[in-house]
Amino acid sequence: MTMNECMQIVQAAEPRLLTRLRELVEIESPSRDKAAVDRAGQLVSAWAEALGATVKRHKQKHFGDVLELKFGPARSPKQRALLLGHLDTVWPIGTLATMPWREAEGKLFGPGVLDMKSGVVMALEAIAAAKQLAAERPVTLLLVSEEEIGSPISRPITEKIAQQCSAVFVLEPAQGLAYKTARKGVGHYQLRVQGVASHAGVDFSSGHSAVLEMARLLQTVANFTDLSKGLTVNPGVVRGGTQSNVVAAECIAEIDVRIVKASDAARVQRLFRGLKVTDKACTLTITGGINRPPMERKPGTIQLFQQARAYAAEIGLALEEASTGGGSDGNFTAAVGVPTLDGMGSVGSGAHAAHEHVVKKHLVERTALLAAMIAGS
Ligand SMILES: [Zn+2]
């Protein structure tokens, strides 16, 4: 199998890839709308079945069903690869009215086109190409339904299936033109301070301000940031008090945490648990924790990347690797010890933004590269 063969096969399939991408983008699928996400899932399952997949639906009550699509022989000397994607988008129903599918200046626009409906369609074409090359490798395409809200129900399914595979290819968008070999871990904490309310003019001294107490606490929290370790702590939201003439009874802060090393999770947890109020009449409640472990740059992942870079070089592409502060489901599969290569989806920009788009000219080569990664080992 050569990259040129992969390119020829995918090139011939490009019209189908583009038609399907449009069809999938035009089925809106916000994370919290089960019926909508299931509609997108139905379309993709039908395509997968036509390609010979066995479809296993992990049924869900409150979210779209999680789709496990299995291709290739059940038994094979080659180890199974997992292609990992999501069907949901951040865009509410009705977005198409203001952000319709359109093609302009070599770019494809539409809600979820980059993150990651193109990744899903590319995965199917890559699997089809590998099949045409008679690569007997078993492949699972796992499509979750709620990645954009942190994968609350699919995480255990993803982890279990990943552990039956020798490699995970994540269909999230590329970083520029690069594949992603590391991602930060993500955490969220909420601080809630309960103070004592009073009239700021008549009865100032009997009040204990939750807002002031929070201000002191946030000073401490801000110092948890350690840029040399890639550890960041961001109090992104603060809500507190009712009126300027009332000593505030309550204040809440929402804090985002990012870590590079898995071992920093415990350290961050200790720091938050160690927070204490200065004004003893105030009480502090802390909730939250690290919910996505970091995807560390491990040898297995580096090996996958080097393999991809060698294939890319065959067609004159200089593939680069990158790391990002953003999380994906690749964080989960990497943390359970399965070599994971991320950012294997399409090239474009504006994920979660009104100008979200895919650069059309990269679709074929990226899909061919994915096909080579499936077929080549
Ligand atoms: Zn995504």
Side-chain angles (χ1 to χ4, degrees):
M1 188 266 319
T2 67
M3 260 306 279
N4 279 323
E5 289 173 306
C6 288
M7 281 292 283
Q8 275 168 21
I9 294 170
V10 177
Q11 194 88 60
E14 191 187 17
R16 178 172 69 180
L17 191 157
L18 293 171
T19 315
R20 284 183 171 179
L21 180 54
R22 178 175 185 165
E23 269 183 84
L24 193 55
V25 167
E26 289 186 337
I27 298 181
E28 295 175 306
S29 53
S31 314
R32 293 182 193 281
D33 189 331
K34 175 178 170 57
V37 176
D38 281 343
R39 275 195 294 277
Q42 225 123 45
L43 181 66
V44 177
S45 319
W47 292 336
E49 275 173 324
L51 196 58
T54 354
V55 176
K56 183 169 175 190
R57 215 166 248 111
H58 297 261
K59 292 218 154 82
Q60 303 299 326
K61 221 179 180 154
H62 304 293
F63 294 101
D65 295 341
V66 173
L67 299 181
E68 183 183 354
L69 310 167
K70 287 175 125 173
F71 300 85
R75 251 175 254 250
S76 164
K78 293 186 178 177
Q79 286 182 294
R80 185 170 286 275
L82 175 61
L83 271 61
L84 184 55
H86 61 85
L87 291 163
D88 61 318
T89 76
V90 295
W91 300 102
I93 296 282
T95 302
L96 278 170
T98 52
M99 222 174 114
W101 168 272
R102 78 188 161 91
E103 189 178 338
E105 292 159 1
K107 296 172 182 166
L108 308 169
F109 293 82
V113 67
L114 175 67
D115 188 7
M116 59 151 68
K117 291 190 164 170
S118 49
V120 173
V121 173
M122 287 165 69
L124 284 168
E125 291 302 345
I127 292 167
K131 192 178 171 189
Q132 215 173 314
L133 287 162
E136 288 295 294
R137 187 180 193 179
V139 179
T140 298
L141 172 59
L142 180 67
L143 298 173
V144 309
S145 53
E146 29 58 288
E147 193 274 345
E148 295 290 3
I149 54 168
S151 308
I153 50 109
S154 62
R155 178 179 182 172
I157 301 172
T158 300
E159 289 174 339
K160 191 169 165 216
I161 293 172
Q163 281 167 305
Q164 299 154 6
C165 299
S166 60
V168 180
F169 303 139
V170 186
L171 307 164
E172 292 287 351
Q175 176 129 323
L177 292 169
Y179 277 0
K180 296 166 191 172
T181 51
R183 283 182 179 273
K184 283 189 180 183
V186 187
H188 175 261
Y189 285 87
Q190 188 193 67
L191 304 186
R192 179 184 290 260
V193 175
Q194 207 70 47
V196 178
S198 73
H199 191 302
V202 180
D203 199 17
F204 181 79
S205 305
S206 62
H208 295 270
S209 171
V211 166
L212 273 183
E213 189 56 43
M214 185 64 86
R216 285 189 285 262
L217 285 166
L218 290 182
Q219 203 61 65
T220 308
V221 164
N223 286 328
F224 295 168
T225 290
D226 184 345
L227 290 178
S228 70
K229 290 195 159 68
L231 193 167
T232 61
V233 181
N234 179 51
V237 179
V238 178
R239 295 187 296 272
T242 50
Q243 308 277 347
S244 65
N245 62 358
V246 177
V247 176
E250 190 176 66
C251 191
I252 292 169
E254 309 281 351
I255 300 160
D256 178 276
V257 177
R258 308 273 157 156
I259 56 173
V260 170
K261 292 230 159 286
S263 53
D264 279 337
R267 177 167 162 231
V268 166
Q269 183 73 356
R270 257 198 320 278
L271 287 169
F272 273 92
R273 296 293 155 187
L275 284 171
K276 296 232 161 19
V277 290
T278 308
D279 180 344
K280 302 290 184 224
C282 292
T283 54
L284 169 65
T285 317
I286 303 159
T287 50
I290 300 290
N291 34 42
R292 276 186 205 271
M295 172 176 146
E296 293 187 34
R297 191 177 174 278
K298 292 268 177 69
T301 294
I302 297 168
Q303 222 177 338
L304 288 177
F305 172 72
Q306 284 166 346
Q307 197 186 343
R309 192 171 54 186
Y311 283 128
E314 282 185 36
I315 51 164
L317 282 180
L319 188 69
E320 291 187 6
E321 65 174 311
S323 67
T324 171
S328 85
D329 285 343
N331 290 56
F332 300 141
T333 60
V336 295
V338 189
T340 300
L341 196 52
D342 205 332
M344 296 181 78
S346 56
V347 172
S349 71
H352 302 195
H355 65 289
E356 176 171 9
H357 66 264
V358 163
V359 179
K360 191 177 165 189
K361 70 171 181 201
H362 295 296
L363 277 171
V364 168
E365 67 199 26
R366 295 272 149 170
T367 306
L369 197 48
L370 193 55
M373 289 299 283
I374 296 168
S377 55

